[in-house]
Amino acid sequence: KQVLITPDVLEPTKGLSFETIADANPWLLTDKLVVKPDQLLKRRGKAGLLAVNKTWEEVQAWVLERMQREVQVELVKGVLNHFIVEAFVPHKQEEEYYFCIVSNREGEEILFTHEGGVDVGDVDAKALRCQVPLQEQPNPEAIKAALLVHVPAAKQDFLATFLEGVLKLYRALNFAYMEVNPLVVTEDGRVVPLDLAAKIDETASFLCGPHWGHIDFPAPFGRREFPEEAYIRELDSKTG
């Protein structure tokens, strides 16, 4: 359950509005919601750019207050113009975890901490690590032994299986980096990534393009597109 809100909602001639979004996604009218910018921004919670447990009416007001407005996040200024809305997942603080997969010359390294969320702290210093060599498949038992020693025993099996599956997907789709914080694991066995940042290898498009679907590689937050870049992108959209 996820929708994207763009500046088109401000222009009636674009054919997109809050009403048409809700018509296509009726869960927006019944579920509690989370809304945040979706523009290669990290630490949105720290910057006050995260609204949690809101109604659809509250989400609309929150977005309209920030749409097309310039904000500063740490040292970078940029204009907000893309927001993502998701269903709110009620959970406890102790159900939040953090994990990250980083590619290196030998394979992939998985970092994991049993404490996640906005105040995760210095991950490099506190995370447990598991290196998976290129020619080896991830093993749930090895993942449990290396990463999940501080996780309740009842959650270890399905969390290890989840991490195994994510790494297989990561390799199949040519990711280069993936960070999930927080990853919520509920008592009933649900594993829900609440926030995710990732990098994929653009040069693998000839291998993974059909699996990726339509995907853009936007400039970092705060760096506006040069006219030459916009011109080339327009040309590229009209040719194979």
PDB file of all heavy atoms in Angstrom, residues 120-138:
ATOM      1  N   VAL A 120      18.981   5.279  15.628  1.00  0.00           N
ATOM      2  CA  VAL A 120      19.787   4.065  15.501  1.00  0.00           C
ATOM      3  C   VAL A 120      21.241   4.290  15.908  1.00  0.00           C
ATOM      4  O   VAL A 120      21.924   3.378  16.356  1.00  0.00           O
ATOM      5  CB  VAL A 120      19.703   3.512  14.066  1.00  0.00           C
ATOM      6  CG1 VAL A 120      20.339   4.465  13.069  1.00  0.00           C
ATOM      7  CG2 VAL A 120      20.329   2.132  13.968  1.00  0.00           C
ATOM      8  N   GLY A 121      21.748   5.524  15.766  1.00  0.00           N
ATOM      9  CA  GLY A 121      23.112   5.825  16.217  1.00  0.00           C
ATOM     10  C   GLY A 121      24.165   5.447  15.194  1.00  0.00           C
ATOM     11  O   GLY A 121      23.909   5.366  13.991  1.00  0.00           O
ATOM     12  N   ASP A 122      25.379   5.182  15.680  1.00  0.00           N
ATOM     13  CA  ASP A 122      26.526   4.889  14.831  1.00  0.00           C
ATOM     14  C   ASP A 122      26.479   3.420  14.402  1.00  0.00           C
ATOM     15  O   ASP A 122      26.952   2.533  15.113  1.00  0.00           O
ATOM     16  CB  ASP A 122      27.827   5.193  15.586  1.00  0.00           C
ATOM     17  CG  ASP A 122      29.056   5.037  14.700  1.00  0.00           C
ATOM     18  OD1 ASP A 122      28.919   4.554  13.563  1.00  0.00           O
ATOM     19  OD2 ASP A 122      30.160   5.399  15.155  1.00  0.00           O
ATOM     20  N   VAL A 123      25.936   3.185  13.222  1.00  0.00           N
ATOM     21  CA  VAL A 123      25.752   1.810  12.751  1.00  0.00           C
ATOM     22  C   VAL A 123      27.092   1.118  12.537  1.00  0.00           C
ATOM     23  O   VAL A 123      27.266  -0.062  12.878  1.00  0.00           O
ATOM     24  CB  VAL A 123      24.920   1.798  11.456  1.00  0.00           C
ATOM     25  CG1 VAL A 123      24.868   0.401  10.870  1.00  0.00           C
ATOM     26  CG2 VAL A 123      23.518   2.313  11.735  1.00  0.00           C
ATOM     27  N   ASP A 124      28.052   1.819  11.961  1.00  0.00           N
ATOM     28  CA  ASP A 124      29.356   1.203  11.688  1.00  0.00           C
ATOM     29  C   ASP A 124      29.995   0.656  12.959  1.00  0.00           C
ATOM     30  O   ASP A 124      30.678  -0.369  12.936  1.00  0.00           O
ATOM     31  CB  ASP A 124      30.300   2.220  11.041  1.00  0.00           C
ATOM     32  CG  ASP A 124      29.957   2.468   9.580  1.00  0.00           C
ATOM     33  OD1 ASP A 124      29.372   1.570   8.957  1.00  0.00           O
ATOM     34  OD2 ASP A 124      30.260   3.560   9.070  1.00  0.00           O
ATOM     35  N   ALA A 125      29.768   1.349  14.066  1.00  0.00           N
ATOM     36  CA  ALA A 125      30.402   0.935  15.321  1.00  0.00           C
ATOM     37  C   ALA A 125      29.638  -0.192  16.007  1.00  0.00           C
ATOM     38  O   ALA A 125      30.244  -1.057  16.650  1.00  0.00           O
ATOM     39  CB  ALA A 125      30.510   2.130  16.257  1.00  0.00           C
ATOM     40  N   LYS A 126      28.320  -0.238  15.874  1.00  0.00           N
ATOM     41  CA  LYS A 126      27.529  -1.167  16.683  1.00  0.00           C
ATOM     42  C   LYS A 126      26.983  -2.363  15.915  1.00  0.00           C
ATOM     43  O   LYS A 126      26.539  -3.332  16.530  1.00  0.00           O
ATOM     44  CB  LYS A 126      26.378  -0.409  17.351  1.00  0.00           C
ATOM     45  CG  LYS A 126      25.327   0.104  16.372  1.00  0.00           C
ATOM     46  CD  LYS A 126      24.406   1.154  16.976  1.00  0.00           C
ATOM     47  CE  LYS A 126      23.544   0.640  18.090  1.00  0.00           C
ATOM     48  NZ  LYS A 126      22.538   1.623  18.509  1.00  0.00           N
ATOM     49  N   ALA A 127      27.004  -2.324  14.573  1.00  0.00           N
ATOM     50  CA  ALA A 127      26.355  -3.385  13.800  1.00  0.00           C
ATOM     51  C   ALA A 127      27.154  -4.681  13.831  1.00  0.00           C
ATOM     52  O   ALA A 127      28.386  -4.679  13.829  1.00  0.00           O
ATOM     53  CB  ALA A 127      26.170  -2.938  12.358  1.00  0.00           C
ATOM     54  N   LEU A 128      26.443  -5.810  13.854  1.00  0.00           N
ATOM     55  CA  LEU A 128      27.046  -7.114  13.598  1.00  0.00           C
ATOM     56  C   LEU A 128      27.132  -7.299  12.087  1.00  0.00           C
ATOM     57  O   LEU A 128      26.305  -6.780  11.337  1.00  0.00           O
ATOM     58  CB  LEU A 128      26.195  -8.217  14.224  1.00  0.00           C
ATOM     59  CG  LEU A 128      26.046  -8.141  15.749  1.00  0.00           C
ATOM     60  CD1 LEU A 128      25.100  -9.229  16.237  1.00  0.00           C
ATOM     61  CD2 LEU A 128      27.392  -8.251  16.435  1.00  0.00           C
ATOM     62  N   ARG A 129      28.143  -8.079  11.620  1.00  0.00           N
ATOM     63  CA  ARG A 129      28.417  -8.151  10.188  1.00  0.00           C
ATOM     64  C   ARG A 129      28.532  -9.596   9.724  1.00  0.00           C
ATOM     65  O   ARG A 129      28.998 -10.458  10.463  1.00  0.00           O
ATOM     66  CB  ARG A 129      29.719  -7.408   9.862  1.00  0.00           C
ATOM     67  CG  ARG A 129      29.657  -5.914  10.218  1.00  0.00           C
ATOM     68  CD  ARG A 129      31.041  -5.267  10.204  1.00  0.00           C
ATOM     69  NE  ARG A 129      30.993  -3.879  10.630  1.00  0.00           N
ATOM     70  CZ  ARG A 129      30.945  -2.843   9.794  1.00  0.00           C
ATOM     71  NH1 ARG A 129      30.976  -3.051   8.480  1.00  0.00           N
ATOM     72  NH2 ARG A 129      30.894  -1.606  10.256  1.00  0.00           N
ATOM     73  N   CYS A 130      28.133  -9.795   8.468  1.00  0.00           N
ATOM     74  CA  CYS A 130      28.247 -11.120   7.851  1.00  0.00           C
ATOM     75  C   CYS A 130      28.628 -10.928   6.385  1.00  0.00           C
ATOM     76  O   CYS A 130      27.867 -10.317   5.620  1.00  0.00           O
ATOM     77  CB  CYS A 130      26.923 -11.874   7.968  1.00  0.00           C
ATOM     78  SG  CYS A 130      26.915 -13.506   7.174  1.00  0.00           S
ATOM     79  N   GLN A 131      29.810 -11.406   5.997  1.00  0.00           N
ATOM     80  CA  GLN A 131      30.265 -11.320   4.617  1.00  0.00           C
ATOM     81  C   GLN A 131      29.831 -12.569   3.850  1.00  0.00           C
ATOM     82  O   GLN A 131      30.056 -13.692   4.305  1.00  0.00           O
ATOM     83  CB  GLN A 131      31.789 -11.190   4.573  1.00  0.00           C
ATOM     84  CG  GLN A 131      32.396 -11.178   3.181  1.00  0.00           C
ATOM     85  CD  GLN A 131      32.181  -9.869   2.436  1.00  0.00           C
ATOM     86  OE1 GLN A 131      31.984  -8.821   3.049  1.00  0.00           O
ATOM     87  NE2 GLN A 131      32.217  -9.915   1.121  1.00  0.00           N
ATOM     88  N   VAL A 132      29.190 -12.358   2.691  1.00  0.00           N
ATOM     89  CA  VAL A 132      28.761 -13.475   1.841  1.00  0.00           C
ATOM     90  C   VAL A 132      29.570 -13.404   0.544  1.00  0.00           C
ATOM     91  O   VAL A 132      29.341 -12.512  -0.271  1.00  0.00           O
ATOM     92  CB  VAL A 132      27.252 -13.415   1.535  1.00  0.00           C
ATOM     93  CG1 VAL A 132      26.829 -14.630   0.714  1.00  0.00           C
ATOM     94  CG2 VAL A 132      26.435 -13.326   2.818  1.00  0.00           C
ATOM     95  N   PRO A 133      30.533 -14.315   0.335  1.00  0.00           N
ATOM     96  CA  PRO A 133      31.365 -14.271  -0.869  1.00  0.00           C
ATOM     97  C   PRO A 133      30.542 -14.397  -2.150  1.00  0.00           C
ATOM     98  O   PRO A 133      29.435 -14.960  -2.148  1.00  0.00           O
ATOM     99  CB  PRO A 133      32.308 -15.469  -0.692  1.00  0.00           C
ATOM    100  CG  PRO A 133      32.335 -15.710   0.778  1.00  0.00           C
ATOM    101  CD  PRO A 133      30.952 -15.364   1.263  1.00  0.00           C
ATOM    102  N   LEU A 134      31.103 -13.891  -3.242  1.00  0.00           N
ATOM    103  CA  LEU A 134      30.384 -13.843  -4.511  1.00  0.00           C
ATOM    104  C   LEU A 134      29.871 -15.206  -4.964  1.00  0.00           C
ATOM    105  O   LEU A 134      28.768 -15.333  -5.470  1.00  0.00           O
ATOM    106  CB  LEU A 134      31.293 -13.263  -5.603  1.00  0.00           C
ATOM    107  CG  LEU A 134      31.488 -11.743  -5.585  1.00  0.00           C
ATOM    108  CD1 LEU A 134      32.546 -11.349  -6.603  1.00  0.00           C
ATOM    109  CD2 LEU A 134      30.186 -11.039  -5.878  1.00  0.00           C
ATOM    110  N   GLN A 135      30.664 -16.233  -4.811  1.00  0.00           N
ATOM    111  CA  GLN A 135      30.306 -17.549  -5.336  1.00  0.00           C
ATOM    112  C   GLN A 135      29.509 -18.392  -4.354  1.00  0.00           C
ATOM    113  O   GLN A 135      29.250 -19.565  -4.619  1.00  0.00           O
ATOM    114  CB  GLN A 135      31.582 -18.299  -5.748  1.00  0.00           C
ATOM    115  CG  GLN A 135      32.424 -17.576  -6.787  1.00  0.00           C
ATOM    116  CD  GLN A 135      31.652 -17.265  -8.066  1.00  0.00           C
ATOM    117  OE1 GLN A 135      30.869 -18.084  -8.526  1.00  0.00           O
ATOM    118  NE2 GLN A 135      31.862 -16.083  -8.618  1.00  0.00           N
ATOM    119  N   GLU A 136      29.117 -17.803  -3.223  1.00  0.00           N
ATOM    120  CA  GLU A 136      28.365 -18.561  -2.228  1.00  0.00           C
ATOM    121  C   GLU A 136      26.945 -18.021  -2.093  1.00  0.00           C
ATOM    122  O   GLU A 136      26.702 -16.823  -2.257  1.00  0.00           O
ATOM    123  CB  GLU A 136      29.070 -18.503  -0.868  1.00  0.00           C
ATOM    124  CG  GLU A 136      30.420 -19.204  -0.839  1.00  0.00           C
ATOM    125  CD  GLU A 136      31.040 -19.203   0.544  1.00  0.00           C
ATOM    126  OE1 GLU A 136      30.316 -18.867   1.517  1.00  0.00           O
ATOM    127  OE2 GLU A 136      32.234 -19.517   0.660  1.00  0.00           O
ATOM    128  N   GLN A 137      26.027 -18.923  -1.775  1.00  0.00           N
ATOM    129  CA  GLN A 137      24.648 -18.530  -1.521  1.00  0.00           C
ATOM    130  C   GLN A 137      24.483 -18.181  -0.044  1.00  0.00           C
ATOM    131  O   GLN A 137      25.129 -18.785   0.821  1.00  0.00           O
ATOM    132  CB  GLN A 137      23.695 -19.668  -1.886  1.00  0.00           C
ATOM    133  CG  GLN A 137      23.633 -19.967  -3.369  1.00  0.00           C
ATOM    134  CD  GLN A 137      23.104 -18.792  -4.173  1.00  0.00           C
ATOM    135  OE1 GLN A 137      22.141 -18.139  -3.774  1.00  0.00           O
ATOM    136  NE2 GLN A 137      23.750 -18.505  -5.294  1.00  0.00           N
ATOM    137  N   PRO A 138      23.633 -17.208   0.277  1.00  0.00           N
ATOM    138  CA  PRO A 138      23.392 -16.896   1.687  1.00  0.00           C
ATOM    139  C   PRO A 138      22.776 -18.084   2.403  1.00  0.00           C
ATOM    140  O   PRO A 138      21.951 -18.807   1.844  1.00  0.00           O
ATOM    141  CB  PRO A 138      22.422 -15.709   1.630  1.00  0.00           C
ATOM    142  CG  PRO A 138      21.782 -15.802   0.278  1.00  0.00           C
ATOM    143  CD  PRO A 138      22.828 -16.377  -0.636  1.00  0.00           C
TER     144      PRO A 138
END
